[in-house]
Amino acid sequence: RRQRWDLPLQRSKKKRLASFQNGAEATMFFLLDLHTYLLVKPEDLGPGYHFHLRDQLRQKVEGSVQERAGLIIAVAASEALDKGKLHEGTGMVMVPMKYRALVLQLFKNEVVDVEVVEVNELGFFAELGPARIFVSKAMMEKGWSYSQEDASSRCFVSADRSRIIRRGTNTRVKLVATKHDQNRLDAIGTTIGEY
C-alpha cells in the first residue's frame, strides 16, 4: 500500500512555473517528479515512520543540486514506492521514494535581475536567490571603471557617472554560462546589450 503526503503526485514529468517581466516570459522555476533512495535506521521504523521518511527526504534533497534537475528549493509532495528492503551489512532499510520538487534551473542566454553582493577590481558577484553570478570587467559595457576610496566604497562607475554598481545594487544581467556544483548554482553573466 502506498502512502501519500501533502499534494498528490501526478504523471507529468515537468511543469513550468512562469513569471512575467516587462511583457516577456521568464521561466526558471519548475515542478519536477524525481526519485531517490533513503536509508532508514531501525529505531525509526515504528510509529511516525511515514513522517520520518518525509522529514529525512527533505533534509537530504532540499538545497542540493541534482545534475539534470537543478537546485531543489522545496519538496512539495512525496510517496514511498514500496515498504523498503533490508540493506545488507548495515541493518538499515532502503526505501525508494518518489517526490515532486520545486526546482531552480538557470539557462544560457537567460536575462535575470540580481543583487550585487561583492565588488572587486576584476568584476562583481551577484546573487539570484541561492545562485551566485560573476560578471567580469571585460563582460561590462565599455566605459565602466573601477573606483575605490576605501574597502566599503568599492564600485564600478559608468563613463558619464550617471550609473553606479556597488554592493546592494540591483542590476539586470544576461547569463553567458552556467555551472552546477553539489550544493549551489554558479553562472557567468554580462551587462552588455539592451534587455
Side-chain angles (χ1 to χ4, degrees):
R1 182 174 166 218
R2 292 184 178 173
Q3 299 293 323
R4 295 181 183 248
W5 304 284
D6 301 330
L7 302 171
L9 293 173
Q10 298 173 355
R11 295 201 180 269
S12 65
K13 294 285 183 192
K14 191 174 194 178
K15 184 175 181 181
R16 300 170 77 169
L17 298 177
S19 62
F20 293 90
Q21 296 176 346
N22 301 330
E25 183 178 343
T27 306
M28 66 181 78
F29 296 97
F30 297 90
L31 277 177
L32 297 181
D33 291 336
L34 302 169
H35 295 82
T36 192
Y37 290 92
L38 296 178
L39 288 174
V40 182
K41 295 178 182 177
E43 59 263 22
D44 297 323
L45 297 175
Y49 168 71
H50 297 292
F51 295 108
H52 176 74
L53 282 180
R54 182 181 59 204
D55 292 341
Q56 186 177 351
L57 175 67
R58 286 188 169 142
Q59 288 175 3
K60 178 181 178 182
V61 300
E62 286 181 355
S64 67
V65 176
Q66 300 268 336
E67 187 168 329
R68 292 189 180 102
L71 179 76
I72 298 175
I73 296 172
V75 174
S78 61
E79 81 179 80
L81 296 177
D82 67 25
K83 294 179 183 177
K85 295 184 171 107
L86 185 61
H87 191 253
E88 293 183 29
T90 64
M92 295 182 166
V93 175
M94 186 173 8
V95 181
M97 297 290 293
K98 179 179 178 182
Y99 62 99
R100 172 165 289 159
L102 178 63
V103 176
L104 170 66
Q105 292 180 342
L106 298 179
F107 299 101
K108 184 178 176 181
N109 295 325
E110 184 174 18
V111 177
V112 295
D113 293 325
V114 297
E115 181 180 353
V116 177
V117 293
E118 181 183 341
V119 177
N120 60 39
E121 60 274 357
L122 300 175
F124 66 87
F125 287 94
E127 290 183 349
L128 172 67
R132 191 162 172 94
I133 300 162
F134 177 69
V135 178
S136 71
K137 186 175 179 182
M139 299 297 279
M140 298 172 74
E141 294 176 355
K142 292 191 188 273
W144 285 87
S145 60
Y146 178 72
S147 173
Q148 175 184 359
E149 293 174 14
D150 58 26
S152 64
S153 66
R154 296 176 183 171
C155 63
F156 280 96
V157 181
S158 63
D160 61 359
R161 298 226 174 278
S162 64
R163 296 180 291 168
I164 297 176
I165 297 176
R166 64 168 55 119
R167 187 173 189 209
T169 303
N170 292 322
T171 188
R172 184 168 287 168
V173 299
K174 181 178 181 181
L175 302 180
V176 176
T178 62
K179 179 182 174 187
H180 296 48
D181 284 336
Q182 187 174 8
N183 290 321
R184 68 178 199 193
L185 294 175
D186 291 319
I188 296 174
T190 180
T191 59
I192 299 173
E194 302 229 359
Y195 33 82

